[in-house]
Amino acid sequence: MSLKKINVYLVNHTHWDREWYFSNQDSLILSDMLFTNTIKELEKHPEASFTLDGQISILDDYVAIHPEMNSRIKHLVNNHQLQIGPWYTQPDALHVLGESLFRNGMIGELCTSTYGKRMSVGYLPDTFGFNSQLPVVLDELGLNSFVFWRGIDTEKTSGCYFKWHSLGNSRTVTAINMPQGYSTGMLLDASDKYVKQRLDPAVAFVEKQSAEFQANVLIPTGNDQMNIINDFSNKVDKINLIGKYRYQVSDYQTFIQKVSHEPSLHEYKGEFIDPILARVHRTCGSSRMDIKIAATQLEDKLIHQVEPLLVIGMKCGVDLGNYVLITAWKKLLDSQAHDSMAGSVVDSVAEDILHRLKEAHELADSISNTIERLISLRLKLDQNQVLVFNPLPRNTTDYFQIQIVSPTKNVCFSDVEDSILIASKKIKKRDHILKQTSSGDKYITEPEYYINDYFVKTNLPSLGYKILDFHTVSVPSELKATTETKIVTKQFTVEFVSGHVNLRLNDGTAINDFISLEDRGNAGDTYDYSPLYGDKTVSLHFKSVKVLRSGHYQEMHLNGMVKLPSTLNDRQHKEFNTDYKFSIVISFINELMHAHISIDNQIFDHKLVLAVNTGIMASQNIASVPFGYLVRRKQSLRDWKKHFVEKPVSSWPLDNNVTVQNKNYSVTVFSKTIKEYEQLDTHLLFTLLATTNQLGKADLINRPGRASGDTTKVGHPIISTPGAEIIGKHDYDVQISFAKRFDELSISKKQEQLYFQPLSYQIQDFNLFLNRLDNKLQDDLAPVGKLPIQLSLFNIPDNLSISACYLSYFGGNAMILRLFNPTGLPVAYELPKNVQAVNALEVSSKYKGLIKAYDLLSLKITF
């Protein structure tokens, strides 16, 4: 077949990292010139088009400094010359929740629509791998195609262009891979040397990766922060006089329309984390854990507390809307961009990210503070009442944590099954304190008071609130130290024996060293962990134990301190010279073992791991992914350098839980803060941190060759990152569940329970700064009218899970409820009256009464 029958579609574009080894402010200065040049070039050549990297935030930043360009941009967008959207930022797709990806697309649509129509392509050219359920996310966002680079194994997909199915086969997108990356045709030049040595071979490379002949081939022609290629059409005309193939000016949407209906497209189901054609940085899930923890905690707070609370607030007359919420989301989405969330940034950028996240946390807290206080005022609560909000649309009877401020240490709650004082802080009295009254200023003695944290067990109405009354008592319900070295529950016994934590299940199964910490050196960089030559793992044993008890509630406090090498050089010379402190608190509540891990990191260049010995020798594990579960198996490392550009270590992203099982029992480990795990023999290993002092290093054991981060390019210096050593204190939480067998729905509902944590609020005047706005939210801001003393808005069925509940982002007095089916079988669900099935953009969708396997359903419920 003639080579000239292959049609090559050339796409003029730029990839725009908002921050990396440069800051967002640096990018803004670049955009000032480059985007202006792009607008002028497109106006000069009406036949030309340009793709602005698939993220609208960079255009919003530009328009903020060039508002006079707004009308010209709108004209180019409506003329299909300037391709913008669909995302707000280019997201990480392995270490964020599916709901964050939805918000990225939703807010991307809101922002893009102010200029015109978005590019209807799920374009993620540089993200470090993709979760297996991205087809669900894309399709729910109204995107039926996906263009990407990293993570593909073309032997699995039978080529670069294929149909990508979700795990339950309910959603399908046309997937287009750029096997040599988004910069394949960069610096496009109509010269013999360029065409014959770069462009023609790039087309041949795509053909080589394909199982069948490809009549149509995509070649992107941009690069990082690259200006528009001028006089593009004329260059392509000249290239056609030189090259082997038929080259044409195009865009991503045109190419996808051309190939999407070809019968030769193969099918694929699964994730993209194979480092064959490009690095995916499999161990970036443990780099700069301070960023990951802050971002993940904010993500959890926004999705599982603030958004449902806004729904309750709206129903109760507190009309904040989504405007401030979207501001908080934008700060998070900026921080979940692929380089930012991965942690592969310089220290000054890391400081920017952490500050953004701090600001967004404050916004989220203030939204909650406002709603909680104004509803409490409207209910006319007194100081001996606490208002508890349940953000979960499910009736719940569980333990949850609340805070009480009172004049005494001990209180007793009405209408609760149990209460336990877990922490108390005494605030001493203060003399000569100013009190402003209607009759003038007075000076008084402010009495002492206590700030108490309680575990309380009671029933909470679904997606609503309940008032708890309490009164002071003299009999304490606090935790008291015992002489024991074990805690015993109906499911298991945990015992401390000579520095080790041993477990015995109620079926007699005994597991020694059930939970422990391990440390090793890290010769890697901010992109990847890599081992140190000759290094050995060091086990960190506990030195002491203390068991506390109140009623049937128990806590085991384990403390340890060992000598570890301070630096890599010390490690190589076996010099254990620095005290390393760590502790774990183990408890059992709501049918889960809880472990709170605290470390004081005072050493450099190392990897710290939490090891959970499951007692199960398994060849595979079952991992949660957005809206479903995926089986993962260890990859062969034999002759890996012949096939991979980095070692395909069996290190996987932790969505939120992972399970191993045998014929006798299963063990599931949950975590909202840890992002990476491995499976080794009977152990599940969770990376708490991997610290380093460099952005990029060359010739690592696990990643031979050039340095990632461009630090071995001509003129590019080595960049030190002492901030990536994350010296200081860090905390992590895991929960562990034991069962006779793995059950998808049961595990999903446990995860739901961990996410949608109740909130509590007390009107009190002991301390008006526990919540920052209490001192400023005046009583007359509360809506007028009575509220019920107990409220429940919606209750979801037991055979489904809840992903999100929020106020409409696209207008209307309505809330959106997103249900999902976490099982491998379809589930029937009948739409309630006056409830509409929609997609994530709130466009009406067809629904036939079944939620398919590992799929979801978005409901629009009008108030």
Side-chain angles (χ1 to χ4, degrees):
M1 187 172 290
S2 169
L3 293 177
K4 281 289 183 182
K5 289 189 176 181
I6 294 179
N7 299 298
V8 182
Y9 295 71
L10 300 174
V11 178
N12 201 352
H13 79 95
T14 190
H15 173 53
W16 204 265
D17 295 298
R18 297 182 79 256
E19 55 193 7
W20 181 14
Y21 53 79
F22 46 83
S23 70
N24 183 42
Q25 287 68 39
D26 297 330
S27 292
L28 185 61
I29 299 302
L30 283 173
S31 73
D32 190 359
M33 297 185 63
L34 269 61
F35 292 4
T36 301
N37 289 345
T38 296
I39 292 166
K40 291 178 179 178
E41 177 69 13
L42 292 175
E43 290 173 337
K44 184 178 178 181
H45 296 277
E47 81 286 354
S49 69
F50 188 72
T51 299
L52 199 57
D53 197 40
Q55 56 175 322
I56 195 62
S57 61
I58 58 177
L59 184 58
D60 281 349
D61 291 345
Y62 171 80
V63 171
I65 60 172
H66 279 293
E68 78 283 358
M69 288 293 199
N70 203 336
S71 60
R72 295 167 70 179
I73 291 169
K74 288 179 179 179
H75 175 75
L76 292 172
V77 171
N78 291 324
N79 200 39
H80 307 293
Q81 288 184 267
L82 187 61
Q83 307 284 323
I84 61 173
W87 306 103
Y88 178 71
T89 55
Q90 286 277 331
D92 182 294
L94 290 173
H95 305 107
V96 305
L97 293 180
E99 285 296 333
S100 285
L101 294 173
F102 280 138
R103 298 306 176 284
N104 204 318
M106 290 157 55
I107 295 172
E109 168 66 15
L110 286 171
C111 295
T112 303
S113 64
T114 63
Y115 304 103
K117 193 173 182 180
R118 67 177 182 173
M119 178 175 68
S120 59
V121 180
Y123 181 57
L124 296 173
D126 199 25
T127 298
F128 303 155
F130 302 93
N131 77 74
S132 55
Q133 287 284 76
L134 198 58
V136 174
V137 174
L138 294 169
D139 186 70
E140 187 71 5
L141 287 168
L143 303 169
N144 59 12
S145 59
F146 177 55
V147 177
F148 71 112
W149 172 26
R150 299 179 189 269
I152 192 174
D153 179 349
T154 53
E155 290 189 4
K156 295 179 181 178
T157 59
S158 299
C160 299
Y161 315 140
F162 52 94
K163 295 293 185 182
W164 187 19
H165 301 293
S166 64
L167 294 180
N169 291 312
S170 59
R171 315 281 184 126
T172 301
V173 296
T174 301
I176 306 297
N177 181 252
M178 305 173 287
Q180 292 181 305
Y182 55 84
S183 61
T184 306
M186 64 178 289
L187 303 174
L188 192 74
D189 183 28
S191 67
D192 277 15
K193 183 177 181 180
Y194 180 90
V195 175
K196 292 179 180 179
Q197 294 185 17
R198 182 171 187 138
L199 200 54
D200 281 352
V203 178
F205 187 85
V206 174
E207 283 292 304
K208 184 180 178 181
Q209 300 299 318
S210 305
E212 282 93 17
F213 170 74
Q214 291 292 338
N216 302 289
V217 170
L218 173 71
I219 299 294
T221 63
N223 200 18
D224 297 354
Q225 266 75 17
M226 182 162 283
N227 196 6
I228 188 171
I229 298 173
N230 294 322
D231 202 16
F232 197 76
S233 297
N234 187 42
K235 284 185 172 68
V236 174
D237 288 341
K238 292 178 180 178
I239 286 170
N240 272 315
L241 299 175
I242 304 169
K244 297 178 181 179
Y245 309 102
R246 293 189 297 204
Y247 291 94
Q248 59 186 282
V249 177
S250 191
D251 56 59
Y252 292 119
Q253 294 175 112
T254 300
F255 178 76
I256 291 162
Q257 290 170 2
K258 184 69 177 178
V259 303
S260 60
H261 300 296
E262 290 183 1
S264 62
L265 291 182
H266 288 258
E267 299 180 339
Y268 176 74
K269 182 166 59 177
E271 55 193 347
F272 289 113
I273 57 170
D274 290 314
I276 294 176
L277 299 178
R279 295 171 175 178
V280 294
H281 309 300
R282 277 203 181 175
T283 50
C284 69
S286 52
S287 175
R288 290 198 187 272
M289 282 300 295
D290 51 347
I291 289 176
K292 290 181 174 66
I293 291 172
T296 302
Q297 288 174 339
L298 175 60
E299 175 186 61
D300 180 25
K301 185 182 294 182
L302 290 175
I303 297 169
H304 302 114
Q305 292 189 321
V306 175
E307 288 187 332
L309 198 59
L310 277 162
V311 171
I312 296 171
M314 173 72 79
K315 190 65 176 177
C316 295
V318 183
D319 187 10
L320 280 179
N322 281 338
Y323 302 109
V324 178
L325 172 71
I326 289 173
T327 300
W329 264 113
K330 285 181 176 179
K331 291 179 183 294
L332 175 58
L333 297 175
D334 286 343
S335 308
Q336 287 183 333
H338 64 287
D339 286 316
S340 308
M341 189 65 183
S344 49
V345 293
V346 296
D347 284 354
S348 59
V349 170
E351 292 167 6
D352 291 345
I353 295 170
L354 289 169
H355 182 70
R356 272 201 307 266
L357 294 171
K358 172 185 174 291
E359 290 179 323
H361 270 288
E362 290 175 350
L363 286 169
D365 291 340
S366 293
I367 292 171
S368 297
N369 190 177
T370 300
I371 296 169
E372 291 165 346
R373 181 167 181 83
L374 295 185
I375 293 177
S376 297
L377 287 170
R378 188 173 174 184
L379 287 166
K380 301 186 186 312
L381 301 187
D382 62 38
Q383 291 201 129
N384 281 359
Q385 293 178 309
V386 60
L387 185 61
V388 182
F389 295 90
N390 183 10
L392 176 64
R394 194 190 300 282
N395 290 322
T396 307
T397 301
D398 277 323
Y399 282 93
F400 56 89
Q401 189 171 332
I402 63 174
Q403 188 175 85
I404 298 293
V405 183
S406 68
T408 63
K409 186 176 182 180
N410 305 299
V411 304
C412 179
F413 295 90
S414 303
D415 192 27
V416 302
E417 296 181 30
D418 193 15
S419 65
I420 305 149
L421 178 63
I422 57 173
S424 182
K425 181 180 181 182
K426 181 179 179 180
I427 308 299
K428 295 180 179 180
K429 70 176 183 178
R430 298 191 301 165
D431 295 323
H432 202 65
I433 301 300
L434 174 65
K435 182 177 182 179
Q436 294 175 317
T437 70
S438 58
S439 60
D441 293 348
K442 296 181 179 180
Y443 288 89
I444 65 169
T445 296
E446 192 174 62
E448 69 180 21
Y449 61 92
Y450 293 81
I451 302 174
N452 301 321
D453 292 316
Y454 281 86
F455 273 143
V456 174
K457 184 177 184 181
T458 190
N459 175 262
L460 295 178
S462 60
L463 190 60
Y465 61 71
K466 178 179 181 178
I467 300 169
L468 294 182
D469 296 299
F470 63 89
H471 59 274
T472 59
V473 294
S474 58
V475 179
S477 60
E478 60 187 315
L479 290 167
K480 294 182 178 179
T482 71
T483 59
E484 297 179 2
T485 59
K486 63 182 177 182
I487 59 175
V488 181
T489 75
K490 292 180 180 179
Q491 288 190 327
F492 56 79
T493 298
V494 177
E495 186 172 13
F496 176 78
V497 180
S498 302
H500 303 269
V501 180
N502 299 333
L503 175 76
R504 187 175 70 253
L505 299 178
N506 59 5
D507 66 357
T509 300
I511 305 174
N512 293 332
D513 271 330
F514 168 66
I515 192 166
S516 61
L517 296 174
E518 299 176 354
D519 192 72
R520 64 203 68 173
N522 177 21
D525 53 24
T526 59
Y527 288 87
D528 286 295
Y529 160 78
S530 195
L532 176 69
Y533 282 107
D535 188 38
K536 292 183 179 180
T537 298
V538 180
S539 296
L540 280 60
H541 297 299
F542 302 102
K543 298 292 185 182
S544 65
V545 65
K546 180 170 63 175
V547 173
L548 307 177
R549 178 175 286 113
S550 176
H552 65 273
Y553 177 75
Q554 308 158 84
E555 287 184 354
M556 175 181 283
H557 292 242
L558 301 158
N559 292 285
M561 185 175 72
V562 299
K563 292 284 188 181
L564 289 177
S566 178
T567 65
L568 282 182
N569 185 61
D570 293 338
R571 208 171 280 264
Q572 287 175 319
H573 291 88
K574 312 301 181 188
E575 295 179 7
F576 292 74
N577 51 14
T578 304
D579 289 337
Y580 203 82
K581 297 178 182 178
F582 52 94
S583 66
I584 298 180
V585 178
I586 297 175
S587 60
F588 184 72
I589 195 166
N590 296 337
E591 303 303 316
L592 291 169
M593 178 190 290
H594 293 249
H596 179 79
I597 303 102
S598 298
I599 61 170
D600 186 7
N601 185 48
Q602 298 297 330
I603 64 174
F604 305 91
D605 301 306
H606 71 119
K607 177 180 179 178
L608 185 67
V609 168
L610 173 71
V612 177
N613 184 3
T614 66
I616 297 172
M617 184 69 73
S619 60
Q620 63 185 39
N621 61 79
I622 306 165
S624 71
V625 290
F627 322 112
Y629 294 91
L630 177 74
V631 174
R632 291 187 172 123
R633 297 176 177 85
K634 191 172 183 179
Q635 199 160 2
S636 172
L637 298 179
R638 184 176 179 182
D639 298 327
W640 68 267
K641 291 183 181 180
K642 294 181 180 179
H643 309 287
F644 298 91
V645 296
E646 66 182 15
K647 192 173 184 178
V649 293
S650 295
S651 181
W652 295 291
L654 183 66
D655 175 58
N656 51 51
N657 65 75
V658 58
T659 301
V660 292
Q661 65 178 342
N662 60 19
K663 63 181 181 179
N664 297 318
Y665 64 98
S666 69
V667 180
T668 302
V669 182
F670 305 83
S671 181
K672 294 191 292 184
T673 49
I674 299 170
K675 291 297 179 184
E676 180 182 290
Y677 77 96
E678 299 175 61
Q679 182 181 8
L680 180 63
D681 299 328
T682 64
H683 287 77
L684 288 172
L685 306 175
F686 300 90
T687 313
L688 302 181
L689 50 79
T691 72
T692 180
N693 64 359
Q694 264 183 237
L695 175 73
K697 296 179 181 178
D699 295 318
L700 302 178
I701 292 178
N702 284 3
R703 200 189 66 215
R706 66 172 182 84
S708 290
D710 287 351
T711 58
T712 48
K713 281 189 174 180
V714 172
H716 199 308
I718 299 296
I719 299 176
S720 63
T721 57
E725 299 284 8
I726 56 171
I727 299 299
K729 295 180 179 179
H730 307 282
D731 294 277
Y732 310 82
D733 286 286
V734 301
Q735 296 81 29
I736 305 171
S737 173
F738 305 90
K740 289 185 177 179
R741 63 180 180 84
F742 170 70
D743 179 83
E744 295 164 318
L745 180 60
S746 174
I747 294 301
S748 180
K749 289 172 76 172
K750 281 185 170 66
Q751 185 65 56
E752 170 189 280
Q753 172 189 3
L754 291 168
Y755 271 133
F756 289 90
Q757 287 291 303
L759 305 93
S760 67
Y761 182 83
Q762 176 196 7
I763 290 181
Q764 50 80 28
D765 54 16
F766 294 101
N767 187 334
L768 296 178
F769 289 83
L770 283 179
N771 300 293
R772 288 187 302 273
L773 291 184
D774 275 1
N775 194 40
K776 294 299 180 184
L777 286 167
Q778 300 170 17
D779 292 6
D780 58 6
L781 291 173
V784 296
K786 288 187 177 181
L787 288 176
I789 61 171
Q790 185 165 304
L791 178 70
S792 177
L793 295 182
F794 200 93
N795 195 37
I796 63 175
D798 288 337
N799 59 349
L800 292 169
S801 286
I802 174 75
S803 178
C805 173
Y806 53 87
L807 291 175
S808 168
Y809 274 68
F810 294 91
N813 187 27
M815 74 172 182
I816 305 299
L817 193 68
R818 188 144 37 245
L819 307 176
F820 73 98
N821 173 14
T823 74
L825 297 173
V827 172
Y829 176 71
E830 183 178 350
L831 287 181
K833 290 183 180 179
N834 302 318
V835 173
Q836 181 185 12
V838 296
N839 68 9
L841 301 184
E842 299 178 31
V843 176
S844 181
S845 62
K846 293 180 180 179
Y847 175 65
K848 298 180 179 180
L850 284 179
I851 304 179
K852 296 180 180 179
Y854 306 136
D855 201 7
L856 55 80
L857 174 66
S858 299
L859 305 176
K860 189 168 188 176
I861 304 167
T862 302
F863 286 124

